[in-house]
Amino acid sequence: MTDEQEKTAAEPIRVGVLGARGRMGLEVCKAVDAATDMDLVAMVDQGDWLFNASDAGAEVVVDFTTPDVVMDNLHWCIDQGISAVVGTTGFTEQRLDRVRGWLERKPGVGVVIAPNFGIGAVLMMQFAARAARHFESVEIVEQHHPRKLDAPSGTATHTARLIAQARAEAGLGPVPDATKDEVAGARGADIDGVRVHAVRATGLVAHQEVLFGTVGETLTIRHDSYDRASFMPGVLLAVRAVRNRPGLTIGLDALLD
Ligand SMILES: NC(=O)C1=CN([C@@H]2O[C@H](COP(=O)(O)OP(=O)(O)OC[C@H]3O[C@@H](n4cnc5c(N)ncnc54)[C@H](OP(=O)(O)O)[C@@H]3O)[C@@H](O)[C@H]2O)C=CC1
Ligand SMILES: O=C(O)C1=N[C@H](C(=O)O)C[C@H](O)C1
């Protein structure tokens, strides 16, 4: 390690949080504040000036805002040369391509976008992708608190895409289903051929079941986040890693290996 690298390693990471007064933002501020290797230098919410983060010298920004503002936030971070850890949902392939385009012009900047920072949720998605080729049927049921703005969840969408990819690679055809949708939506949303059902109820935080079926047996893979603290080890892991990962990293999988 050079002297410069040693100095950098020893100095706390200066972190700014966007969406700091939201449900996740509050929890992230607490976790960053409690981490001895990080300094919480900026808390930015709607109506605040984004430059508060750069003026405070943020090296990493964590974004838990809303799908309609996250792209502008991310573009701004990359332009400023600030690496970003993003939990906000709403990332389509087109959006990810735009982020890649911005990053090409700022080769030193890292961005981690994860649909779910819960370690158990990451494993649930990996297990589901692994199981997918062995079952002809599959459906996803995600359950969340009723103040969630989007449906289906980013986690469910990502899981459906992983399953669809595994099924295609295994040469599986469409999921068998003779049912006629008498009422629109009764069979849930179709994401790449996988049915996804979204439940909203007071008392829930973030939960997902992936139900697989084949002749004579079913397999259910379930994950539950009962508290937003469950996302914090994943968020802190990404904050520690992101500056050493230039370009775009999607999901926590590569950081956990
Ligand atoms: N990847 C993961 O592991 C997880 C992802 N999420 C996702 O994170 C996102 C946030 O969730 P949650 O915390 O529950 O939502 P909240 O609505 O509680 O928080 C969002 C916050 O962002 C603020 N905000 C809105 N616009 C801006 C802006 N332009 N700049 C800065 N802040 C802004 C909001 O302010 P105001 O209220 O005034 O509008 C609010 O305080 C969602 O997309 C959710 O799906 C959630 C949990 C885990
Ligand atoms: O809004 C939430 O709460 C959550 N959002 C993410 C998603 O949409 O998948 C992650 C987790 O499910 C909690």
Side-chain angles (χ1 to χ4, degrees), residues 87 89 115-116 144-145 148 150 152-156 205-207 228 231:
T89 45
N116 200 312
H144 283 84
H145 59 94
K148 183 166 176 57
D150 54 326
S153 71
T155 308
V205 178
H207 317 259
R228 289 181 180 83
F231 303 113

Side-chain angles (χ1 to χ4, degrees), residues 44-165:
V44 178
D45 212 80
Q46 179 153 30
D48 298 335
W49 182 230
L50 267 182
F51 281 91
N52 290 349
S54 50
D55 290 350
E59 300 164 287
V60 176
V61 150
V62 180
D63 186 301
F64 281 95
T65 56
T66 62
D68 54 331
V69 302
V70 67
M71 289 299 277
D72 286 345
N73 290 348
L74 198 41
H75 196 181
W76 178 85
C77 287
I78 295 169
D79 262 356
Q80 295 295 314
I82 302 175
S83 293
V85 171
V86 181
T88 309
T89 45
F91 280 90
T92 57
E93 270 312 312
Q94 290 86 334
R95 281 187 165 205
L96 293 172
D97 279 343
R98 283 172 64 203
V99 175
R100 287 187 189 100
W102 300 332
L103 282 167
E104 268 168 28
R105 296 192 288 275
K106 289 278 183 179
V109 177
V111 171
V112 174
I113 300 176
N116 200 312
F117 282 96
I119 308 295
V122 175
L123 293 172
M124 175 258 297
M125 289 186 265
Q126 290 180 358
F127 297 156
R130 176 147 186 232
R133 70 189 171 93
H134 300 289
F135 293 87
E136 65 178 24
S137 295
V138 57
E139 305 224 352
I140 297 173
V141 183
E142 57 97 324
Q143 305 184 355
H144 283 84
H145 59 94
R147 298 182 72 186
K148 183 166 176 57
L149 295 180
D150 54 326
S153 71
T155 308
T157 302
H158 191 66
T159 312
R161 290 191 183 132
L162 292 175
I163 290 170
Q165 190 187 334

